[in-house]
Amino acid sequence: MRATRGYSKLVSESRLAPILSRPAPVRHTDYERVLDVETRTAEADGVVSLALASPDGGPLPTWIPGAHLDVFLPSGLQRQYSLCGDPADRSRYRIAVRRVGDGVGSAEIHDAVHERSTLRVRGPRNAFPLADAPSYLFVAAGIGITPILPMIRSVAGAGTPWTLLYLGRSRDTMPFLDELSTLPGGDVLIRPGDEVGISPIADILGHARPNGAIYLCGPSPLIKDAYLLAPLVAPTCSLHTERFSPPPVVGGEPFVLRLARTGTTVEVAADETALSALRRAVPSATYSCRQGFCGSCRVRVVSGDVDHRDTRLLDEERAESMLPCVSRAAGSTLEIDL
Protein backbone atom coordinates (compact mmCIF):
# COMPACT_ATOMS: atom_id res chain seq x y z
CA MET A 1 0.00 0.00 0.00
CA ARG A 2 2.83 2.40 0.83
CA ALA A 3 4.52 1.56 -2.47
CA THR A 4 1.32 2.17 -4.43
CA ARG A 5 0.72 5.49 -2.69
CA GLY A 6 4.30 6.51 -3.31
CA TYR A 7 4.07 5.67 -7.01
CA SER A 8 0.83 7.65 -7.36
CA LYS A 9 2.40 10.72 -5.80
CA LEU A 10 5.48 10.32 -7.99
CA VAL A 11 3.52 10.38 -11.27
CA SER A 12 0.98 13.02 -10.23
CA GLU A 13 2.71 15.46 -7.86
CA SER A 14 6.48 15.20 -7.92
CA ARG A 15 8.90 17.25 -10.01
CA LEU A 16 9.35 14.17 -12.20
CA ALA A 17 5.64 14.02 -13.06
CA PRO A 18 5.95 15.99 -16.35
CA ILE A 19 8.66 13.56 -17.49
CA LEU A 20 7.04 10.31 -16.29
CA SER A 21 3.54 11.24 -17.50
CA ARG A 22 4.13 13.24 -20.66
CA PRO A 23 0.88 13.84 -22.57
CA ALA A 24 0.43 12.66 -26.12
CA PRO A 25 -0.46 15.36 -28.68
CA VAL A 26 -4.11 15.48 -29.66
CA ARG A 27 -4.51 14.53 -33.31
CA HIS A 28 -7.42 16.34 -34.88
CA THR A 29 -8.85 17.74 -38.06
CA ASP A 30 -10.02 21.35 -37.82
CA TYR A 31 -13.47 22.00 -39.20
CA GLU A 32 -14.57 25.63 -39.11
CA ARG A 33 -18.11 26.71 -39.85
CA VAL A 34 -20.74 29.21 -38.82
CA LEU A 35 -23.75 27.68 -37.09
CA ASP A 36 -27.15 29.06 -36.14
CA VAL A 37 -28.31 29.02 -32.53
CA GLU A 38 -31.47 27.00 -33.14
CA THR A 39 -32.68 26.92 -29.54
CA ARG A 40 -31.55 28.19 -26.16
CA THR A 41 -32.80 26.31 -23.10
CA ALA A 42 -32.47 26.96 -19.36
CA GLU A 43 -31.28 23.58 -18.05
CA ALA A 44 -30.66 24.51 -14.39
CA ASP A 45 -29.98 27.51 -12.20
CA GLY A 46 -27.19 29.36 -14.03
CA VAL A 47 -26.93 26.83 -16.88
CA VAL A 48 -28.17 27.28 -20.45
CA SER A 49 -27.84 24.91 -23.37
CA LEU A 50 -27.54 25.94 -27.02
CA ALA A 51 -28.57 23.76 -29.97
CA LEU A 52 -26.41 24.68 -32.97
CA ALA A 53 -27.46 23.79 -36.52
CA SER A 54 -26.13 24.38 -40.01
CA PRO A 55 -27.78 27.36 -41.76
CA ASP A 56 -28.55 25.16 -44.77
CA GLY A 57 -30.02 22.38 -42.64
CA GLY A 58 -27.36 19.91 -43.74
CA PRO A 59 -25.73 17.22 -41.58
CA LEU A 60 -22.89 18.20 -39.28
CA PRO A 61 -19.57 16.32 -38.94
CA THR A 62 -19.69 13.17 -36.85
CA TRP A 63 -18.33 13.12 -33.31
CA ILE A 64 -17.80 10.63 -30.51
CA PRO A 65 -18.48 11.01 -26.78
CA GLY A 66 -15.98 13.23 -24.99
CA ALA A 67 -15.60 15.63 -27.95
CA HIS A 68 -15.78 19.40 -27.67
CA LEU A 69 -16.15 22.45 -29.90
CA ASP A 70 -13.98 25.53 -30.04
CA VAL A 71 -16.52 28.35 -29.97
CA PHE A 72 -15.64 31.86 -31.12
CA LEU A 73 -17.86 34.34 -29.29
CA PRO A 74 -19.12 37.62 -30.80
CA SER A 75 -16.43 39.54 -28.85
CA GLY A 76 -13.67 37.43 -30.42
CA LEU A 77 -13.04 35.33 -27.31
CA GLN A 78 -12.48 31.61 -27.93
CA ARG A 79 -13.76 29.01 -25.50
CA GLN A 80 -14.15 25.21 -25.47
CA TYR A 81 -17.44 23.52 -24.63
CA SER A 82 -18.15 19.80 -24.47
CA LEU A 83 -20.74 18.36 -26.80
CA CYS A 84 -23.54 17.01 -24.62
CA GLY A 85 -26.17 15.96 -27.14
CA ASP A 86 -26.71 12.70 -28.99
CA PRO A 87 -23.81 11.66 -31.28
CA ALA A 88 -26.33 9.91 -33.53
CA ASP A 89 -28.11 13.22 -34.21
CA ARG A 90 -26.13 14.97 -36.96
CA SER A 91 -28.73 17.69 -37.44
CA ARG A 92 -27.48 19.72 -34.49
CA TYR A 93 -24.80 20.06 -31.82
CA ARG A 94 -25.66 20.82 -28.20
CA ILE A 95 -23.43 22.56 -25.68
CA ALA A 96 -24.23 23.70 -22.14
CA VAL A 97 -22.61 26.61 -20.30
CA ARG A 98 -22.70 27.51 -16.62
CA ARG A 99 -22.36 31.17 -15.71
CA VAL A 100 -19.41 31.57 -13.35
CA GLY A 101 -18.56 34.66 -11.33
CA ASP A 102 -15.35 35.61 -13.11
CA GLY A 103 -16.09 33.87 -16.39
CA VAL A 104 -16.06 36.45 -19.18
CA GLY A 105 -16.84 33.83 -21.80
CA SER A 106 -19.72 32.26 -19.87
CA ALA A 107 -21.21 35.71 -19.17
CA GLU A 108 -21.14 36.49 -22.89
CA ILE A 109 -22.93 33.25 -23.72
CA HIS A 110 -25.63 34.02 -21.15
CA ASP A 111 -26.03 37.71 -21.95
CA ALA A 112 -25.29 38.11 -25.66
CA VAL A 113 -26.05 34.81 -27.41
CA HIS A 114 -29.71 34.11 -28.14
CA GLU A 115 -31.87 32.10 -30.49
CA ARG A 116 -31.14 33.10 -34.10
CA SER A 117 -27.64 34.26 -33.14
CA THR A 118 -24.76 32.79 -35.14
CA LEU A 119 -21.52 31.36 -33.77
CA ARG A 120 -18.33 30.38 -35.54
CA VAL A 121 -17.07 27.02 -34.31
CA ARG A 122 -14.11 24.74 -34.92
CA GLY A 123 -14.25 21.01 -34.40
CA PRO A 124 -15.39 18.66 -33.09
CA ARG A 125 -12.20 17.25 -31.62
CA ASN A 126 -11.60 14.94 -28.72
CA ALA A 127 -9.07 14.90 -25.88
CA PHE A 128 -11.28 12.73 -23.63
CA PRO A 129 -12.24 9.64 -25.68
CA LEU A 130 -14.32 6.79 -24.35
CA ALA A 131 -12.30 3.55 -24.17
CA ASP A 132 -13.72 0.05 -24.38
CA ALA A 133 -14.34 -1.54 -20.98
CA PRO A 134 -16.55 -4.27 -19.48
CA SER A 135 -18.16 -1.72 -17.13
CA TYR A 136 -18.03 1.98 -16.34
CA LEU A 137 -18.18 4.25 -13.33
CA PHE A 138 -18.94 7.83 -14.34
CA VAL A 139 -18.33 10.68 -11.90
CA ALA A 140 -19.55 14.15 -12.83
CA ALA A 141 -19.31 17.27 -10.70
CA GLY A 142 -21.65 20.08 -11.70
CA ILE A 143 -21.17 21.15 -15.31
CA GLY A 144 -18.79 18.18 -15.62
CA ILE A 145 -21.89 16.23 -16.64
CA THR A 146 -21.59 17.63 -20.17
CA PRO A 147 -18.91 15.26 -21.59
CA ILE A 148 -20.20 12.41 -19.41
CA LEU A 149 -23.81 12.50 -20.66
CA PRO A 150 -23.11 11.30 -24.25
CA MET A 151 -20.73 8.67 -22.86
CA ILE A 152 -23.56 7.26 -20.75
CA ARG A 153 -25.89 7.38 -23.75
CA SER A 154 -23.37 5.38 -25.81
CA VAL A 155 -22.68 2.82 -23.07
CA ALA A 156 -26.37 2.41 -22.25
CA GLY A 157 -27.15 1.83 -25.91
CA ALA A 158 -24.54 -0.93 -26.06
CA GLY A 159 -25.95 -2.67 -22.98
CA THR A 160 -22.72 -2.29 -20.96
CA PRO A 161 -23.11 -2.00 -17.16
CA TRP A 162 -22.66 1.55 -15.87
CA THR A 163 -23.06 3.67 -12.77
CA LEU A 164 -23.14 7.46 -12.49
CA LEU A 165 -22.37 9.47 -9.38
CA TYR A 166 -23.51 13.02 -10.06
CA LEU A 167 -22.23 15.64 -7.59
CA GLY A 168 -23.47 19.21 -7.26
CA ARG A 169 -24.34 21.99 -4.86
CA SER A 170 -28.10 21.42 -5.09
CA ARG A 171 -30.57 19.79 -7.46
CA ASP A 172 -31.54 23.20 -8.82
CA THR A 173 -27.96 23.71 -10.07
CA MET A 174 -27.56 20.27 -11.68
CA PRO A 175 -28.52 20.18 -15.38
CA PHE A 176 -30.03 17.23 -17.28
CA LEU A 177 -31.45 15.39 -14.25
CA ASP A 178 -34.65 14.55 -16.14
CA GLU A 179 -32.70 13.36 -19.18
CA LEU A 180 -30.51 11.08 -17.06
CA SER A 181 -33.57 9.40 -15.58
CA THR A 182 -34.57 8.10 -19.03
CA LEU A 183 -31.31 6.30 -19.83
CA PRO A 184 -31.59 2.51 -19.44
CA GLY A 185 -29.50 -0.15 -17.81
CA GLY A 186 -27.52 1.75 -15.19
CA ASP A 187 -27.61 3.26 -11.72
CA VAL A 188 -27.85 7.03 -11.34
CA LEU A 189 -26.82 8.26 -7.89
CA ILE A 190 -27.54 11.96 -7.35
CA ARG A 191 -25.43 13.53 -4.60
CA PRO A 192 -26.38 17.20 -4.01
CA GLY A 193 -24.19 18.74 -1.35
CA ASP A 194 -27.08 20.47 0.42
CA GLU A 195 -28.75 17.09 0.94
CA VAL A 196 -25.96 14.60 1.57
CA GLY A 197 -22.90 16.75 2.30
CA ILE A 198 -19.50 16.14 0.74
CA SER A 199 -19.09 12.69 -0.78
CA PRO A 200 -15.63 11.24 0.04
CA ILE A 201 -13.75 10.26 -3.11
CA ALA A 202 -12.92 6.84 -1.62
CA ASP A 203 -16.64 6.10 -1.28
CA ILE A 204 -17.24 7.30 -4.84
CA LEU A 205 -14.50 5.12 -6.32
CA GLY A 206 -15.79 2.18 -4.32
CA HIS A 207 -18.70 1.92 -6.77
CA ALA A 208 -16.36 0.84 -9.58
CA ARG A 209 -16.59 -2.77 -10.71
CA PRO A 210 -13.34 -4.77 -11.02
CA ASN A 211 -11.46 -4.25 -14.30
CA GLY A 212 -13.80 -1.44 -15.32
CA ALA A 213 -13.14 2.12 -16.45
CA ILE A 214 -13.64 5.20 -14.30
CA TYR A 215 -14.47 8.45 -16.11
CA LEU A 216 -14.37 11.61 -14.02
CA CYS A 217 -14.96 15.23 -14.99
CA GLY A 218 -14.73 17.87 -12.30
CA PRO A 219 -12.51 20.35 -10.48
CA SER A 220 -8.78 19.85 -9.97
CA PRO A 221 -8.93 18.85 -6.25
CA LEU A 222 -11.38 16.04 -7.03
CA ILE A 223 -9.17 14.75 -9.84
CA LYS A 224 -6.05 14.93 -7.70
CA ASP A 225 -7.71 12.91 -4.92
CA ALA A 226 -8.96 10.37 -7.46
CA TYR A 227 -5.46 9.72 -8.79
CA LEU A 228 -4.13 9.26 -5.27
CA LEU A 229 -6.85 6.87 -4.11
CA ALA A 230 -7.80 4.94 -7.26
CA PRO A 231 -4.78 2.59 -7.00
CA LEU A 232 -5.91 1.72 -3.47
CA VAL A 233 -9.69 1.61 -3.86
CA ALA A 234 -10.01 0.40 -7.46
CA PRO A 235 -6.59 -1.04 -8.36
CA THR A 236 -7.80 -3.03 -11.39
CA CYS A 237 -9.64 -0.10 -12.99
CA SER A 238 -8.40 2.46 -15.49
CA LEU A 239 -8.93 6.14 -14.58
CA HIS A 240 -9.74 8.76 -17.22
CA THR A 241 -10.23 12.41 -16.28
CA GLU A 242 -11.08 15.79 -17.70
CA ARG A 243 -10.96 18.94 -15.62
CA PHE A 244 -12.87 22.16 -16.20
CA SER A 245 -10.34 24.35 -14.47
CA PRO A 246 -6.59 24.81 -15.07
CA PRO A 247 -4.35 22.13 -13.57
CA PRO A 248 -1.95 23.14 -10.81
CA VAL A 249 1.67 23.71 -11.78
CA VAL A 250 3.68 20.60 -10.93
CA GLY A 251 7.47 20.48 -10.73
CA GLY A 252 7.85 24.13 -11.70
CA GLU A 253 11.02 26.20 -11.37
CA PRO A 254 11.11 30.03 -11.43
CA PHE A 255 12.38 31.64 -14.63
CA VAL A 256 12.46 34.94 -16.50
CA LEU A 257 10.18 35.47 -19.50
CA ARG A 258 11.54 38.07 -21.93
CA LEU A 259 9.30 39.79 -24.49
CA ALA A 260 11.46 40.30 -27.59
CA ARG A 261 9.56 43.18 -29.17
CA THR A 262 9.54 45.45 -26.12
CA GLY A 263 12.44 44.13 -24.06
CA THR A 264 10.11 43.69 -21.10
CA THR A 265 11.01 40.95 -18.63
CA VAL A 266 8.54 39.12 -16.42
CA GLU A 267 9.36 36.94 -13.42
CA VAL A 268 7.52 33.61 -13.53
CA ALA A 269 7.18 31.98 -10.12
CA ALA A 270 7.61 28.24 -9.59
CA ASP A 271 3.91 27.75 -8.88
CA GLU A 272 2.39 29.93 -11.63
CA THR A 273 2.02 29.49 -15.36
CA ALA A 274 3.93 31.49 -17.93
CA LEU A 275 0.56 32.70 -19.23
CA SER A 276 -0.43 34.16 -15.86
CA ALA A 277 2.87 36.00 -15.62
CA LEU A 278 2.67 37.13 -19.24
CA ARG A 279 -0.77 38.67 -18.72
CA ARG A 280 0.62 40.94 -16.02
CA ALA A 281 2.67 42.63 -18.75
CA VAL A 282 0.28 42.03 -21.68
CA PRO A 283 -3.31 41.88 -20.37
CA SER A 284 -4.58 41.39 -23.93
CA ALA A 285 -2.64 38.14 -24.43
CA THR A 286 -5.09 35.60 -25.85
CA TYR A 287 -5.97 32.32 -24.18
CA SER A 288 -8.88 29.93 -23.82
CA CYS A 289 -8.61 26.42 -22.35
CA ARG A 290 -5.60 27.04 -20.05
CA GLN A 291 -4.94 23.29 -20.22
CA GLY A 292 -2.65 22.99 -23.23
CA PHE A 293 -4.94 21.57 -25.89
CA CYS A 294 -6.66 24.43 -27.77
CA GLY A 295 -3.64 26.38 -29.01
CA SER A 296 -5.18 29.84 -28.50
CA CYS A 297 -2.21 31.15 -26.50
CA ARG A 298 0.47 29.86 -28.89
CA VAL A 299 3.55 32.10 -29.18
CA ARG A 300 6.78 31.89 -31.15
CA VAL A 301 9.94 31.15 -29.19
CA VAL A 302 12.89 33.38 -30.04
CA SER A 303 15.49 31.81 -27.75
CA GLY A 304 15.76 29.42 -24.84
CA ASP A 305 14.68 25.85 -24.21
CA VAL A 306 11.05 24.94 -23.52
CA ASP A 307 9.61 22.35 -21.15
CA HIS A 308 6.62 21.42 -23.33
CA ARG A 309 3.61 20.20 -21.34
CA ASP A 310 0.84 20.66 -23.91
CA THR A 311 -1.18 18.13 -25.89
CA ARG A 312 -1.57 20.30 -28.97
CA LEU A 313 1.75 20.91 -30.71
CA LEU A 314 3.42 18.33 -32.90
CA ASP A 315 7.12 17.63 -32.51
CA GLU A 316 8.08 19.75 -35.52
CA GLU A 317 6.06 22.70 -34.14
CA ARG A 318 7.68 22.54 -30.72
CA ALA A 319 11.03 23.58 -32.17
CA GLU A 320 9.81 27.16 -32.49
CA SER A 321 6.53 27.47 -30.59
CA MET A 322 5.05 26.97 -27.12
CA LEU A 323 1.74 27.18 -25.27
CA PRO A 324 2.44 29.34 -22.19
CA CYS A 325 -0.74 28.22 -20.44
CA VAL A 326 1.05 25.00 -19.42
CA SER A 327 4.57 24.96 -20.88
CA ARG A 328 7.49 26.81 -19.31
CA ALA A 329 11.21 27.38 -19.59
CA ALA A 330 13.58 24.45 -19.29
CA GLY A 331 16.25 26.90 -18.14
CA SER A 332 16.50 30.24 -16.39
CA THR A 333 15.35 32.47 -19.27
CA LEU A 334 12.97 32.16 -22.19
CA GLU A 335 12.41 34.79 -24.91
CA ILE A 336 9.20 34.90 -26.91
CA ASP A 337 8.02 36.95 -29.89
CA LEU A 338 5.77 39.47 -28.17
Side-chain angles (χ1 to χ4, degrees):
M1 183 176 296
R2 286 196 298 270
T4 300
R5 187 181 295 113
Y7 175 76
S8 298
K9 293 178 72 65
L10 180 68
V11 299
S12 64
E13 296 185 65
S14 76
R15 294 177 183 273
L16 295 176
I19 298 173
L20 297 176
S21 303
R22 285 195 177 277
V26 176
R27 297 300 193 268
H28 59 87
T29 300
D30 283 340
Y31 301 95
E32 283 202 17
R33 64 194 67 239
V34 175
L35 300 179
D36 292 336
V37 179
E38 185 179 60
T39 60
R40 170 185 161 124
T41 306
E43 301 289 355
D45 184 14
V47 179
V48 297
S49 69
L50 305 178
L52 309 176
S54 176
D56 63 7
L60 297 171
T62 58
W63 59 282
I64 59 176
H68 67 270
L69 287 178
D70 297 332
V71 178
F72 298 86
L73 303 180
S75 65
L77 288 175
Q78 178 185 347
R79 293 294 185 266
Q80 283 73 40
Y81 298 111
S82 296
L83 288 168
C84 58
D86 184 353
D89 181 4
R90 296 186 59 191
S91 65
R92 60 187 53 83
Y93 293 145
R94 184 177 69 173
I95 60 174
V97 182
R98 181 184 298 283
R99 182 193 286 270
V100 294
D102 59 350
V104 178
S106 69
E108 187 171 355
I109 289 282
H110 278 254
D111 296 337
V113 178
H114 307 283
E115 291 183 7
R116 295 183 297 280
S117 295
T118 60
L119 289 172
R120 182 166 64 94
V121 304
R122 178 187 298 137
R125 52 197 179 94
N126 200 321
F128 191 38
L130 181 64
D132 289 334
S135 64
Y136 296 87
L137 170 64
F138 297 106
V139 184
I143 200 63
I145 191 64
T146 51
I148 296 296
L149 184 56
M151 291 183 178
I152 295 175
R153 191 184 304 279
S154 175
V155 168
T160 307
W162 61 275
T163 299
L164 168 68
L165 273 85
Y166 189 6
L167 318 177
R169 295 193 304 274
S170 65
R171 290 179 186 268
D172 290 343
T173 67
M174 300 168 72
F176 306 122
L177 287 176
D178 290 342
E179 192 168 325
L180 285 165
S181 67
T182 67
L183 297 176
D187 297 318
V188 178
L189 306 177
I190 309 299
R191 298 286 180 85
D194 64 347
E195 295 179 19
V196 301
I198 297 176
S199 298
I201 188 62
D203 293 348
I204 293 172
L205 298 177
H207 288 271
R209 297 175 175 88
N211 303 308
I214 302 169
Y215 274 80
L216 187 158
C217 184
S220 294
L222 183 66
I223 290 175
K224 178 182 176 181
D225 289 346
Y227 273 107
L228 288 175
L229 290 176
L232 307 178
V233 179
T236 64
C237 295
S238 60
L239 177 61
H240 312 260
T241 63
E242 182 173 69
R243 66 184 79 234
F244 47 72
S245 59
V249 176
V250 175
E253 296 286 348
F255 65 96
V256 173
L257 187 65
R258 188 188 309 277
L259 310 186
R261 300 182 195 176
T262 63
T264 303
T265 58
V266 182
E267 300 284 341
V268 183
D271 60 352
E272 73 172 335
T273 66
L275 176 64
S276 297
L278 172 62
R279 284 177 55 81
R280 291 199 296 270
V282 187
S284 61
T286 58
Y287 71 95
S288 183
C289 73
R290 295 182 294 167
Q291 298 181 45
F293 63 77
C294 78
S296 300
C297 64
R298 180 173 175 171
V299 295
R300 189 174 72 86
V301 176
V302 177
S303 64
D305 296 325
V306 180
D307 176 9
H308 291 285
R309 303 185 179 191
D310 66 275
T311 58
R312 169 79 184 201
L313 300 179
L314 303 178
D315 289 342
E316 56 269 26
E317 296 172 316
R318 294 183 174 188
E320 60 179 21
S321 299
M322 70 175 291
L323 303 186
C325 67
V326 291
S327 298
R328 49 199 305 111
S332 61
T333 304
L334 188 64
E335 187 174 19
I336 60 175
D337 185 21
L338 281 179

